[in-house]
Amino acid sequence: MVLNMDSTIPIYVQIAEWLENEILNENLKVNEKVYSQYKLADMFTINPATAAKGLNLLFEEKILYNKRGLGKFVSTEAMDIVLEKRKNHKLKGLLKEAVQEAVRLQVAEEELLGMFKQILNESKGE
Amino acid sequence: MMSLTKVSLSNVVVMQFRYKLKAYSGVFLALMVVQMIGILLSILGHGGTSFSNGMYTVDVTVSSPDLVIFLTMIWAFMNAILITTKAYREDDFTFVSNRLSYNLSNMAFLLTVCLIGTVTALLTTGIIRILAYVTADIDIFLTITHGVTIADFVAGGLATFLFILLAATAGYLVGMMTQVNKGLIILLPVIIIGLNYVTQSSSNPGFVNMLEFYFMEHSFIMFSIKAIVTILIGFGLSIVFSNRLEVR
Amino acid sequence: MNVIECEGLVKKYGSLNALDHISFSIKENTITGLIGRNGAGKTTLLKILAGFWRETEGTITVFDRRPFNNLEVSMNSIFVDDMMSFTNTLNLKELLSEAQAFYPNWDAELAERLLGYFNFNPRLVHQSLSKGKRSTFNMIVGLAAKCPLTIFDEPTTGMDRAVRKDFYRALLKDYLLNPRTIIISSHHLDEMEDILEDILLIDEGKKVLQLPVDELKEYAVTLSGRTAVVMQTLQDKEVIYKRNVDIDNCSVVVRNNFLHGEVKQLGINVSPVTPSDLCVYLTKGQGGGIDDVFNKSKSV
């Protein structure tokens, strides 16, 4: 559970992603209280303001909701939002990068699709 | 938020004073050594010294009972200079301090050690030496040579204390001035000798006159007033000089 | 609420301006990293904040008071550096109990535990410690004092990497338990940037910038690629630093206030700039840096 401090991704985004993973893994369930900024700061040795920024990101995306004075909780639609976001942004982005690389290397469409299917089958076999 | 702590100057001075009693314990060791030397020299006989600059000659003859007190005065002078040095000051400003509390606690410390120095000096020389001191040639405040009353004894003790404290004040002022401006290390002797030269030329014996101002005062009350005023002025000037001093 | 307000602060040494009309403020209960090169004026600034040194011009307030010679500021702040002086007539344990008398929020238990954790012999005197150990002890005093304003000037001098890591973690944990205003000056920005909230960068006695660390991380990017292509994209960009990789390629650090897509399409590589590197670029003087020194010596 260590953040990648050298990554190009800002720490607060990494915090948000880590929390999203916790929701995807169902370590954090609907209507469950999420870690406070102080708890997160302690867990990852980061400034609490940075942790708060990560929490706020999820709050703005309606993955978390606020209970006055009690902290932030996982919203009912959290799972859907996270899945949607991951699919449309992260997954698409990764695929886009792969395609761009393929174009640069002048890999033909059929060859690329073949590679894709092979990797897909390998993952299923695991 | 963490609430700010209110402070009173006197509390800080007391804390600093207590810290100094523990931290500057070397001062007491030096006192013991100095007074031991004083006793030894006293037993060996009379000590005397004279110096001259061609224009005048000063002869200082210290009779045996005075020697311990004289050495204690030097000890007080040196200690006072010592505690104004950077190393000692930085110890103070490691913890809570401002320049006033720093000065006041130093003065409380000097007052205390001078008092201890006086008591031990008087004890080491012994009552007989005090009698000899009171009836010695260079009499400080008494001309009587017959029976000494308790009042005389107390006055003698007080006078001793004031002399030692005067030495400490002088040391503290000199020390603090040189801390404020290193150039004063050279300037100060020049000014003193220069002033001395001026006063001397106006038919006074100069430097001796300054010492006589205190040492030759026959009235105890007058001497006390002179001494206390001098001490207050000395410490006051030290506070004024060091109040803009940059520390650490 | 701001704990520190500083307006047009100047500190002169003779004709040299160690601080040159610097203005900034520091919010309550934040950890600020004071960054700058050697001789930038960091220590001067911190010593004025602590009330040790006198400002030449301008106004400075700490807890709404002028710090110089102010007993209340002294009581509510602590200044930790590697020159901290402790009497050698008292041992470490005795020094800690002396400190307790001075500081009302003193956490004796924390001090004791840290002393044990870092394997101090409590009977030693401060002067007998190694440089790193001395810094570690000073750090313990700084943490245990729990002053509303805690100033660390190069606190990690002589500490090895493991102790530095422990220090940052201890500082953060203690800050989480007892929020207070902390200022740290250090050369190890990359090591401690994660525990900081804000960064105050100064150079030649002037403020260069003051930003939350998160924003500083996205403040600039490096564009690298063919010189001809890179140059053509620079017109509308704020260039911070330029370096020729070889005859045809260069890398340029620019303000990150444009969309990366169009630049990427030109085949230019866009990479982030760490706060630590950025601070170096922002405070570089005139000329091309160390490379120029060698170039000139070759041409002679």
Side-chain angles (χ1 to χ4, degrees):
Chain A
M1 207 181 58
V2 175
L3 300 177
N4 185 0
M5 299 303 184
D6 300 323
S7 159
T8 60
I9 306 163
I11 302 293
Y12 67 94
V13 178
Q14 290 190 50
I15 291 291
E17 283 185 356
W18 181 81
L19 285 167
E20 285 171 6
N21 285 340
E22 291 291 289
I23 293 169
L24 289 177
N25 300 337
E26 295 189 52
N27 286 341
L28 282 172
K29 296 186 181 63
V30 169
N31 290 328
E32 197 175 325
K33 185 183 186 312
V34 298
Y35 307 100
S36 70
Q37 63 180 101
Y38 303 105
K39 180 70 189 160
L40 287 169
D42 189 14
M43 284 162 73
F44 296 103
T45 319
I46 54 168
N47 191 284
T50 309
K53 223 168 156 180
L55 286 169
N56 257 334
L57 209 62
L58 297 180
F59 173 72
E60 281 162 17
E61 291 170 355
K62 299 200 164 52
I63 295 165
L64 303 180
Y65 67 92
N66 246 339
K67 264 192 202 170
R68 205 173 262 272
L70 292 175
K72 291 196 162 57
F73 292 77
V74 179
S75 68
T76 334
E77 58 276 24
M79 183 71 105
D80 298 334
I81 299 173
V82 174
L83 280 175
E84 183 65 19
K85 184 176 148 191
R86 288 286 172 100
K87 259 188 243 166
N88 277 335
H89 291 91
K90 201 166 179 191
L91 187 57
K92 262 192 184 166
L94 287 171
L95 285 174
K96 203 173 168 185
E97 265 181 48
V99 170
Q100 273 171 353
E101 184 70 8
V103 170
R104 214 171 296 154
L105 299 174
Q106 297 179 324
V107 178
E109 196 178 323
E110 296 85 58
E111 197 184 347
L112 182 64
L113 285 173
M115 280 165 88
F116 183 74
K117 273 183 187 148
Q118 193 192 338
I119 293 166
L120 202 65
N121 287 333
E122 278 170 15
S123 319
K124 277 178 188 163
E126 271 168 19
Chain B
M1 138 176 210
M2 290 180 137
S3 55
L4 287 193
T5 309
K6 297 271 164 231
V7 272
S8 77
L9 178 66
S10 56
N11 276 348
V12 175
V13 172
V14 168
M15 284 192 292
Q16 286 184 300
F17 171 67
R18 280 191 192 148
Y19 179 64
K20 278 168 198 195
L21 285 183
K22 289 180 215 166
Y24 304 169
S25 51
V27 165
F28 299 108
L29 189 74
L31 175 66
M32 274 170 62
V33 171
V34 161
Q35 295 192 338
M36 290 289 198
I37 292 170
I39 291 167
L40 272 173
L41 290 178
S42 301
I43 291 166
L44 288 174
H46 294 212
T49 175
S50 81
F51 53 93
S52 165
N53 69 350
M55 303 292 290
Y56 57 88
T57 305
V58 180
D59 281 283
V60 180
T61 314
V62 187
S63 64
S64 50
D66 290 337
L67 189 64
V68 173
I69 290 162
F70 181 67
L71 287 176
T72 307
M73 282 172 72
I74 292 176
W75 162 83
F77 182 79
M78 299 304 279
N79 270 323
I81 289 181
L82 189 69
I83 67 169
T84 62
T85 54
K86 196 166 190 283
Y88 280 76
R89 186 167 61 243
E90 289 194 345
D91 279 3
D92 264 312
F93 283 88
T94 291
F95 299 134
V96 180
S97 183
N98 70 358
R99 285 145 199 83
L100 185 59
S101 76
Y102 157 76
N103 272 310
L104 291 176
S105 60
N106 273 345
M107 286 160 197
F109 176 75
L110 285 178
L111 212 67
T112 310
V113 296
C114 286
L115 193 64
I116 292 168
T118 308
V119 171
T120 52
L122 294 178
L123 286 177
T124 47
T125 51
I127 292 166
I128 294 162
R129 287 176 197 277
I130 293 166
L131 286 174
Y133 165 67
V134 168
T135 56
D137 284 352
I138 34 165
D139 201 333
I140 295 170
F141 60 96
L142 286 172
T143 45
I144 44 160
T145 47
H146 53 276
V148 173
T149 64
I150 300 241
D152 292 337
F153 175 70
V154 169
L158 265 174
T160 308
F161 175 58
L162 286 174
F163 271 121
I164 293 170
L165 201 55
L166 270 174
T169 309
Y172 196 74
L173 183 60
V174 168
M176 202 51 89
M177 283 169 88
T178 53
Q179 287 303 314
V180 171
N181 191 338
K182 295 275 181 280
L184 287 173
I185 295 174
I186 301 156
L187 254 157
L188 216 60
V190 172
I191 289 169
I192 289 173
I193 292 167
L195 273 176
N196 186 37
Y197 187 78
V198 171
T199 45
Q200 188 197 25
S201 60
S202 61
S203 82
N204 274 314
F207 193 60
V208 182
N209 201 22
M210 280 167 69
L211 293 179
E212 271 181 0
F213 180 72
Y214 300 109
F215 285 99
M216 291 309 180
E217 179 57 59
H218 288 256
S219 154
F220 174 67
I221 303 290
M222 272 311 289
F223 166 72
S224 300
I225 290 169
K226 279 179 183 177
I228 288 168
V229 167
T230 308
I231 289 163
L232 288 178
I233 289 173
F235 278 153
L237 282 176
S238 304
I239 291 175
V240 171
F241 284 142
S242 60
N243 210 34
R244 286 168 64 81
L245 195 64
E246 299 199 322
V247 295
R248 274 180 80 174
Chain C
M1 195 200 120
N2 289 330
V3 166
I4 296 166
E5 297 266 14
C6 181
E7 189 64 49
L9 189 67
V10 176
K11 176 69 185 177
K12 280 190 179 145
Y13 295 113
S15 61
L16 178 91
N17 279 3
L19 293 177
D20 193 359
H21 298 92
I22 192 167
S23 303
F24 66 94
S25 57
I26 285 180
K27 287 196 303 278
E28 185 183 33
N29 297 344
T30 53
I31 308 180
T32 301
L34 179 62
I35 310 298
R37 316 191 61 162
N38 291 331
K42 299 186 299 273
T43 298
T44 305
L45 178 60
L46 294 179
K47 290 201 169 174
I48 291 174
L49 285 181
F52 296 153
W53 292 1
R54 206 161 7 97
E55 68 274 21
T56 314
E57 270 174 46
T59 56
I60 172 128
T61 57
V62 175
F63 309 120
D64 293 326
R65 293 160 182 84
R66 182 184 177 228
F68 186 75
N69 232 353
N70 188 301
L71 204 55
E72 212 158 332
V73 170
S74 177
M75 178 68 112
N76 289 289
S77 64
I78 188 162
F79 181 93
V80 177
D81 66 355
D82 61 342
M83 302 291 280
M84 249 179 147
S85 165
F86 295 99
T87 176
N88 55 6
T89 52
L90 299 176
N91 67 34
L92 299 179
K93 205 179 158 66
E94 289 165 335
L95 284 177
L96 290 180
S97 64
E98 285 305 316
Q100 181 166 19
F102 282 98
Y103 293 104
N105 300 333
W106 183 264
D107 188 339
E109 200 195 328
L110 178 70
E112 187 111 346
R113 281 175 178 219
L114 287 171
L115 209 64
Y117 175 80
F118 289 108
N119 293 317
F120 278 97
N121 176 352
R123 309 223 165 275
L124 290 177
V125 296
H126 193 255
Q127 272 97 330
S128 71
L129 300 174
S130 72
K131 203 171 184 184
K133 276 276 187 182
R134 225 179 282 178
S135 290
T136 310
F137 180 80
N138 298 351
M139 171 266 278
I140 293 174
V141 173
L143 285 181
K146 291 200 190 315
C147 290
L149 175 61
T150 304
I151 299 170
F152 289 104
D153 187 18
E154 301 285 352
T156 56
T157 308
M159 289 183 188
D160 63 38
R161 201 179 145 76
V163 176
R164 290 205 298 271
K165 272 193 90 170
D166 279 338
F167 164 61
Y168 301 133
R169 179 116 182 103
L171 180 70
L172 180 75
K173 281 191 90 92
D174 197 45
Y175 166 75
L176 291 172
L177 290 171
N178 304 282
R180 52 197 193 265
T181 311
I182 299 172
I183 305 174
I184 319 173
S185 84
S186 174
H187 289 305
H188 300 282
L189 177 58
D190 46 349
E191 286 182 0
M192 64 167 195
E193 63 183 40
D194 296 320
I195 64 162
L196 301 178
E197 183 164 340
D198 290 321
I199 280 185
L200 174 59
L201 176 66
I202 65 170
D203 192 38
E204 292 177 340
K206 296 187 183 77
K207 180 172 87 174
V208 178
L209 55 79
Q210 187 181 22
L211 278 178
V213 180
D214 295 322
E215 284 176 36
L216 199 66
K217 283 188 170 176
E218 297 170 64
Y219 185 83
V221 286
T222 306
L223 304 178
S224 43
R226 312 284 297 176
T227 308
V229 185
V230 173
M231 286 307 164
Q232 153 196 345
T233 64
L234 292 182
Q235 291 128 351
D236 56 341
K237 292 177 183 66
E238 203 178 308
V239 177
I240 294 166
Y241 174 70
K242 217 184 274 186
R243 191 172 68 92
N244 292 327
V245 179
D246 54 40
I247 301 169
D248 294 330
N249 293 290
C250 72
S251 70
V252 182
V253 177
V254 295
R255 269 302 296 273
N256 181 20
N257 48 12
F258 59 93
L259 294 170
H260 298 172
E262 44 185 303
V263 180
K264 277 181 179 166
Q265 271 173 356
L266 291 170
I268 295 170
N269 185 29
V270 182
S271 55
V273 181
T274 65
S276 175
D277 285 340
L278 180 62
C279 288
V280 173
Y281 297 145
L282 285 169
T283 55
K284 264 210 159 76
Q286 304 298 314
I290 193 75
D291 281 359
D292 267 19
V293 176
F294 291 93
N295 286 340
K296 272 172 196 153
S297 60
K298 236 181 245 170
S299 66
V300 166

